[in-house]
Amino acid sequence: MYLLHEGRGLLVLALLAGLQITAEGRGTPPCKPGFSEDVYKAVVPDITEKGQPLFNVRFVDCGKGGLVLFECSDPSDFWIEADGVVYAARSLRLSALRTLLPLVIKARDTTTQQQWETQVNLTPSTHSGQQVQEVVPPVVSQDLKEIVFPSQHAESQLKRMKRDWVIPPINVPENSRGPFPQELVRIRSDNDKNRSLRYSVTGPGADQPPTGIFIINPISGELSVNKPLDREHISNFHLRAHAVDLNGNQVENPIDIVINVIDMNDNRPEFIYQIWNGTVPEGSKPGTFVMTVTSVDKDDPKTVNGMLRYKILSQNPESPTSNMFTINNKTGGIITVAAGLDREKVPQYTLIIQATDMEGSPMYGLSNTATAVIKVTDINDNPPEFTAETFFGEVPENRVNVIVANLTVTDKDQPNTPAWNAVYKITGGDPTGRFSVPTDPTTNEGLVTVVKPIDYEMSRTYVLTVEAKNEVPLARGIHSPRQSTATVSIRVIDVNESPYFEPNPKLIKLEEGMMPESTLTTFTAQDPDRFMQQSMRYSKLSDPANWLRIDPNTGRITTIAILDRESPYVKNSLYNATFLASDSGVPPASGTGTLQIFLLDINDNAPRVFPQEAEVCEKPEPNAINITALDGDLNPNAGPFAFELAHRPSDVRRNWTITRLSGDYAQVSLKIGFLETGIYELPIIITDSGNLPMSNTSYLRIKVCQCDINGDCTDAQHIMAAGLGTGAIISILLCIIILLILVLLFVVWMKRRDKERQAKQLLIDPEDDVRDNILKYDEEGGGEEDQDYDLSQLQQPDTLEPDAIKPVGIRRMDERPLHPEPQYPMRSAAPHPGDIGDFINEGLKAADNDPTAPPYDSLLVFDYEGSGSTAGSLSSLNSSSSGGDQDYDYLNDWGPRFRKLADMYGGSDD
């Protein structure tokens, strides 16, 4: 047995070495799978936390590699992992249990279903009164407790060990201040008495990332922590200790060491949001849930370091009381604790919430704050109220979709919400539904609107009762006051209404053929304005055939022409005429009425043959022509018809015959074997079946022609028979002649235009006649400021081609003389500034000696532009008022170009 003790009454870990019970046997038994011991004895802390590793059991599978599942007899207090480590299933105190029964652990092979069982006797540690928040003092090397590798007898090859070691975890507080390295425990083997051993540890924190946290003295076996630990980063470490000789041979089986990092209160609570938003309806009862605020603490939530408590520090505004809300100190749920929430008075509350760890300890706990903004939402606790008891309005009669009055209300609820939006309803005074009251969505006013025409003669005033409500019902216990109902008085204005015909349209039946000046009927209109003494006048508005006349005073309608049912203005025997009735009101009003005349048919139209043109072959076969008759009358004044050939000319009945096929059809055919080609007019007498039958002689135009085997005409006259007559051919020829004349006129005009262009070219110079960068034009026009010159056309005269020079005989006197060009000095690309003056002087001398340079001393010739110029005469212009007294001799100093001017102006009067 051995003990691992931590100072100051902290958790004492004792590792007990059980008595080895060996079973003697004969020979070397084969490897059997099962637990390494039948009975384990483990010393565990008296106070354990949930999830804390306590001890481990060892299972030997003899290399089979099957899946083995472990079960614990007390799963409510302990659970075992697949690696054999047993953990606390809950926080418990072993010494408080009345009877500490042995813990039975079972193992089951999932493949063979074979089971094994072992027993663990738990012994609570007598030094278990640790407080996790206390700092463990550094362990002095000489006081270090030892973890001893299990000892083995020499005859261990012949005897199986019945019990194994169970090593409790090592607890190390986080954020230790050192000094470092800080010794934790000494690992030792019983085999170090007779030989030198070397100790080492492996696992995360030692030789695996994060490396360098734990180190071991390879000779003494002292295990130390090399730096402060952070539980929020890594809460526990699983290491494995090894013992080897100087040759590296393993002398002990590795043992597992679990190091738990004990939490310290080193983190403040942090709210998830710094500002929390919630809502609560106004008028809510106490205990109404509002919202939940949440804070987190990185410390261990299983200890007081991570146990938070909430409270409200302040409330703004403190109306109607300073404690309108309370908060659940554990969950952070905010509820109301007082009545009196009224959005119209306090629309919003601001709470400062504090979260403190260490179960809210004001002395040892760490705190943080957040803001909770609670908006009081609106409910319909204020009904709409009219601003007046009675509203007034007026509307002209017969007007619809007209707003008569605007009803205004007040509502203290939140605007533009269902609790504020008003809905108006007419509860009285409108039995016929002539009014409606929609709501203006912007102003919330009620718009009294006329939806059906109002007749002044029926009712002159209307008194409506209107009730105002909201889109949602009022809150429980709130009733509509008297101000939610108002009266609307509407006065109807009388207007001059249009007269109306009754009935409209008016239908009468007459026989066609009625003579002029016959009276048909009286068509009068009614005036709806009973309270106005007005006269009525009638006029004709529409009479397509101009058959009728109406008396302007009495409305009597008479005929002025014969009524004809076959007129194109009559549709389906019905003739429509429209009349206008106007009263004497101010302004006058008028109405229209339609008179429909149904004309009964009489036999007043003689039948005529149809079709009027046909063609037959010279020979009798096939030679039949089917004809019928057209009659504008209706039955029985139309068919059946009687067809016969006229008696004259005499050859009609000799050459042709007619056969009746039915009451409406007959057949005309040749009576002789051959008839000469030509066009024949065949008179046919047709008689209808009227009460007084009417006969008519119609002419059937028949073309007799040569036919092919199909019975179709083959000669050239077939074109004319097809409808292309002489008039059409003449029209086509006239169009062709007119087209030719137009083409001829266009050609003549083009030739004349070319001649004018050539004659005009003789009076002007070629376009490329450019002298001294000056372009010559036929017209003088204005000055240079009035011209838009194309500078690309300007060029030096010396660039003209030699063949472009005109002969001397046709040159103008003001053109440049033909002389050899003088050689002007050439200026270098980059002259020296001192050479500019010499260059100018040389150029001036060359220009003075150049007889071809302008101005040319010759007479300029211009075209005569006529007399009477609006610019006036130029003879009155003088160079100076005293030009005669000036001395022009200085012009001689300007070179040979100005000497002529000096002689002209500077000489004597002679």
Side-chain angles (χ1 to χ4, degrees):
M1 178 185 297
Y2 66 91
L3 297 176
L4 178 63
H5 176 265
E6 295 179 15
R8 289 191 180 179
L10 293 180
L11 180 62
V12 177
L13 302 180
L15 301 180
L16 302 177
L19 179 62
Q20 295 183 354
I21 302 176
T22 61
E24 296 184 4
R26 297 179 180 177
T28 302
C31 179
K32 294 182 179 180
F35 290 97
S36 61
E37 295 290 333
D38 294 334
V39 177
Y40 291 87
K41 184 176 181 182
V43 178
V44 298
D46 186 23
I47 300 176
T48 60
E49 297 291 339
K50 180 181 178 180
Q52 179 177 343
L54 303 178
F55 57 91
N56 69 303
V57 295
R58 181 181 177 188
F59 185 85
V60 179
D61 59 356
C62 296
K64 293 183 178 181
L67 178 61
V68 178
L69 298 180
F70 296 97
E71 297 179 359
C72 182
S73 62
D74 190 5
S76 61
D77 295 334
F78 307 93
W79 89 83
I80 184 170
E81 292 290 346
D83 57 354
V85 179
V86 179
Y87 296 82
R90 62 185 179 90
S91 300
L92 53 88
R93 186 183 184 92
L94 297 181
S95 61
L97 299 178
R98 294 182 180 179
T99 58
L100 190 61
L101 299 178
L103 187 65
V104 178
I105 298 177
K106 296 181 180 180
R108 180 173 56 89
D109 192 335
T110 58
T111 304
T112 63
Q113 300 300 323
Q114 186 177 0
Q115 295 186 1
W116 299 271
E117 183 177 308
T118 188
Q119 180 177 315
V120 180
N121 295 326
L122 301 178
T123 302
S125 173
T126 58
H127 303 279
S128 58
Q130 66 141 356
Q131 297 295 331
V132 294
Q133 67 269 22
E134 293 183 7
V135 179
V136 179
V139 180
V140 184
S141 300
Q142 57 270 20
D143 294 333
L144 283 179
K145 299 304 176 181
E146 295 180 348
I147 296 178
V148 181
F149 284 92
S151 61
Q152 300 181 7
H153 295 283
E155 61 275 11
S156 60
Q157 295 122 356
L158 303 178
K159 298 180 181 180
R160 187 171 67 88
M161 298 180 61
K162 296 297 183 179
R163 294 185 298 174
D164 204 350
W165 291 97
V166 178
I167 303 175
I170 302 172
N171 294 330
V172 180
E174 66 172 335
N175 303 325
S176 176
R177 297 183 180 180
F180 296 102
Q182 179 179 344
E183 294 80 3
L184 300 178
V185 70
R186 178 183 294 115
I187 299 174
R188 188 179 63 83
S189 173
D190 291 338
N191 294 322
D192 62 352
K193 296 179 180 180
N194 51 11
R195 52 180 168 174
S196 298
L197 301 180
R198 295 294 182 264
Y199 302 97
S200 63
V201 291
T202 59
D207 62 339
Q208 299 178 17
T211 60
I213 296 179
F214 298 98
I215 58 177
I216 189 171
N217 190 314
I219 299 175
S220 63
E222 294 180 355
L223 179 65
S224 305
V225 60
N226 205 31
K227 60 179 66 174
L229 303 181
D230 187 359
R231 191 204 66 84
E232 288 73 34
H233 184 217
I234 300 177
S235 60
N236 55 68
F237 297 87
H238 292 263
L239 303 179
R240 174 162 287 192
H242 306 268
V244 297
D245 57 14
L246 296 179
N247 296 324
N249 298 319
Q250 179 176 322
V251 297
E252 300 284 359
N253 292 330
I255 61 173
D256 293 328
I257 301 176
V258 177
I259 300 176
N260 290 331
V261 183
I262 303 303
D263 183 43
M264 306 297 290
N265 190 19
D266 57 343
N267 290 279
R268 289 181 178 273
E270 295 290 340
F271 283 91
I272 298 178
Y273 305 106
Q274 193 60 32
I275 298 178
W276 297 78
N277 295 303
T279 59
V280 60
E282 62 175 332
S284 297
K285 296 180 180 180
T288 302
F289 176 78
V290 180
M291 60 190 298
T292 299
V293 297
T294 305
S295 179
V296 294
D297 196 318
K298 296 180 180 179
D299 292 325
D300 189 358
K302 300 176 183 178
T303 66
V304 293
N305 298 332
M307 296 180 181
L308 306 181
R309 296 295 183 265
Y310 301 91
K311 71 175 181 178
I312 299 176
L313 297 181
S314 65
Q315 169 191 307
N316 184 33
E318 298 179 352
S319 175
T321 64
S322 59
N323 296 318
M324 295 295 296
F325 305 92
T326 186
I327 187 170
N328 189 309
N329 64 345
K330 293 183 179 180
T331 64
I334 301 176
I335 60 174
T336 60
V337 294
L341 291 175
D342 191 350
R343 188 203 64 84
E344 287 74 30
K345 295 181 179 179
V346 180
Q348 178 176 294
Y349 289 91
T350 302
L351 307 180
I352 303 300
I353 310 298
Q354 183 185 61
T356 306
D357 58 15
M358 298 293 292
E359 294 184 329
S361 172
M363 181 177 297
Y364 300 105
L366 301 178
S367 302
N368 213 335
T369 60
T371 302
V373 178
I374 302 176
K375 293 185 178 180
V376 182
T377 59
D378 187 35
I379 64 172
N380 193 12
D381 57 345
N382 293 281
E385 298 180 0
F386 285 99
T387 58
E389 293 184 358
T390 304
F391 296 87
F392 299 92
E394 59 183 20
V395 59
E397 63 174 334
N398 299 323
R399 296 283 298 276
V400 294
N401 298 325
V402 177
I403 297 176
V404 179
N406 290 29
L407 311 182
T408 56
V409 295
T410 58
D411 196 320
K412 297 179 182 179
D413 291 321
Q414 185 175 357
N416 301 316
T417 62
W420 178 83
N421 297 333
V423 178
Y424 301 90
K425 180 181 179 181
I426 299 175
T427 59
D430 186 25
T432 57
R434 299 184 180 275
F435 300 91
S436 68
V437 188
T439 304
D440 189 328
T442 304
T443 62
N444 208 30
E445 296 180 350
L447 308 177
V448 182
T449 307
V450 181
V451 294
K452 293 182 181 180
I454 301 175
D455 191 356
Y456 175 83
E457 286 71 26
M458 297 297 294
S459 178
R460 300 184 183 184
T461 59
Y462 288 88
V463 179
L464 309 179
T465 302
V466 181
E467 181 184 12
K469 294 183 178 181
N470 293 119
E471 293 181 354
V472 295
L474 291 172
R476 181 178 300 179
I478 307 296
H479 302 283
S480 297
R482 182 179 58 85
Q483 290 80 4
S484 296
T485 302
T487 302
V488 183
S489 179
I490 301 174
R491 184 174 67 90
V492 183
I493 302 174
D494 188 18
V495 297
N496 187 20
E497 299 177 77
S498 301
Y500 61 94
F501 289 86
E502 186 68 28
N504 189 18
K506 184 176 182 180
L507 177 63
I508 60 174
K509 295 183 178 181
L510 301 171
E511 283 190 352
E512 64 172 330
M514 182 172 289
M515 300 305 294
E517 302 301 332
S518 299
T519 300
L520 300 182
T521 184
T522 300
F523 197 22
T524 58
Q526 306 294 327
D527 192 350
D529 297 315
R530 295 178 297 172
F531 302 100
M532 298 182 182
Q533 301 299 327
Q534 299 179 141
S535 60
M536 197 79 63
R537 294 188 63 83
Y538 303 94
S539 60
K540 186 171 61 174
L541 187 62
S542 173
D543 183 13
N546 198 23
W547 288 344
L548 307 177
R549 178 176 60 233
I550 187 170
D551 187 280
N553 297 319
T554 63
R556 185 178 62 182
I557 298 176
T558 58
T559 61
I560 58 176
I562 298 176
L563 306 184
D564 185 8
R565 193 199 65 84
E566 290 74 31
S567 171
Y569 300 105
V570 178
K571 305 297 181 184
N572 298 325
S573 302
L574 202 64
Y575 180 76
N576 293 323
T578 306
F579 299 93
L580 181 70
S582 303
D583 60 18
S584 58
V586 179
S590 60
T592 60
T594 301
L595 179 65
Q596 294 182 336
I597 303 175
F598 188 83
L599 297 175
L600 303 176
D601 185 40
I602 62 174
N603 194 13
D604 58 345
N605 291 278
R608 62 186 185 277
V609 70
F610 182 82
Q612 296 181 354
E613 295 182 356
E615 59 181 27
V616 297
C617 298
E618 295 175 332
K619 295 182 179 181
E621 297 89 4
N623 255 350
I625 301 173
N626 293 331
I627 62 173
T628 185
L630 297 179
D631 195 328
D633 296 324
L634 300 177
N635 291 328
N637 295 322
F641 302 98
F643 301 89
E644 64 174 328
L645 295 175
H647 295 276
R648 295 182 182 277
S650 59
D651 57 348
V652 172
R653 287 180 174 264
R654 183 175 64 249
N655 297 336
W656 303 90
T657 180
I658 187 169
T659 304
R660 183 178 180 182
L661 299 178
S662 64
D664 295 331
Y665 293 92
Q667 192 176 72
V668 177
S669 59
L670 276 174
K671 193 175 183 181
I672 59 178
F674 175 80
L675 186 62
E676 186 179 354
T677 301
I679 297 177
Y680 298 87
E681 298 286 342
L682 185 63
I684 300 175
I685 301 174
I686 306 176
T687 304
D688 60 20
S689 300
N691 190 12
L692 296 177
M694 293 191 68
S695 298
N696 181 32
T697 301
S698 297
Y699 287 90
L700 177 60
R701 190 168 181 264
I702 300 177
K703 174 180 176 290
V704 180
C705 60
Q706 297 178 359
C707 298
D708 54 15
I709 59 175
N710 297 323
D712 297 328
C713 290
T714 58
D715 54 358
Q717 293 182 357
H718 180 72
I719 299 177
M720 295 181 60
L724 192 60
T726 305
I729 296 176
I730 294 175
S731 300
I732 294 175
L733 293 176
L734 288 177
C735 292
I736 295 175
I737 293 173
I738 293 174
L739 183 61
L740 292 175
I741 293 174
L742 292 176
V743 173
L744 182 60
L745 291 176
F746 180 75
V747 172
V748 172
W749 178 76
M750 290 296 295
K751 290 185 177 181
R752 183 176 180 182
R753 183 180 177 185
D754 292 340
K755 290 182 179 180
E756 292 178 354
R757 185 184 292 110
Q758 293 176 1
K760 190 174 182 180
Q761 290 292 335
L762 297 176
L763 301 177
I764 62 176
D765 290 336
E767 295 179 359
D768 56 354
D769 185 14
V770 181
R771 303 182 306 278
D772 288 336
N773 298 332
I774 299 177
L775 298 178
K776 177 174 66 60
Y777 298 91
D778 294 341
E779 54 193 23
E780 295 179 50
E784 290 182 357
E785 66 275 12
D786 296 332
Q787 303 295 333
D788 186 13
Y789 290 108
D790 184 6
L791 299 179
S792 63
Q793 299 296 327
L794 301 179
Q795 57 182 354
Q796 293 291 341
D798 52 7
T799 61
L800 297 177
E801 298 294 335
D803 54 358
I805 302 176
K806 294 180 290 184
V808 180
I810 62 173
R811 293 185 62 84
R812 291 173 51 169
M813 298 179 63
D814 58 342
E815 291 184 351
R816 178 179 181 177
L818 299 177
H819 293 284
E821 295 286 345
Q823 295 298 325
Y824 288 87
M826 297 301 295
R827 181 182 177 186
S828 61
H832 189 273
D835 298 336
I836 295 178
D838 298 336
F839 173 77
I840 294 175
N841 293 329
E842 293 176 2
L844 179 60
K845 293 179 180 180
D848 289 342
N849 297 325
D850 183 7
T852 64
Y856 313 125
D857 193 8
S858 60
L859 181 62
L860 300 179
V861 180
F862 298 93
D863 292 340
Y864 177 70
E865 295 182 352
S867 61
S869 173
T870 58
S873 175
L874 301 178
S875 60
S876 61
L877 298 178
N878 295 322
S879 59
S880 176
S881 59
S882 57
D885 300 334
Q886 294 184 6
D887 185 9
Y888 294 97
D889 293 338
Y890 66 88
L891 295 176
N892 294 321
D893 300 334
W894 288 10
R897 300 176 183 271
F898 298 94
R899 290 172 185 169
K900 183 65 175 178
L901 293 177
D903 295 339
M904 294 174 60
Y905 288 92
S908 61
D909 293 341
D910 297 337

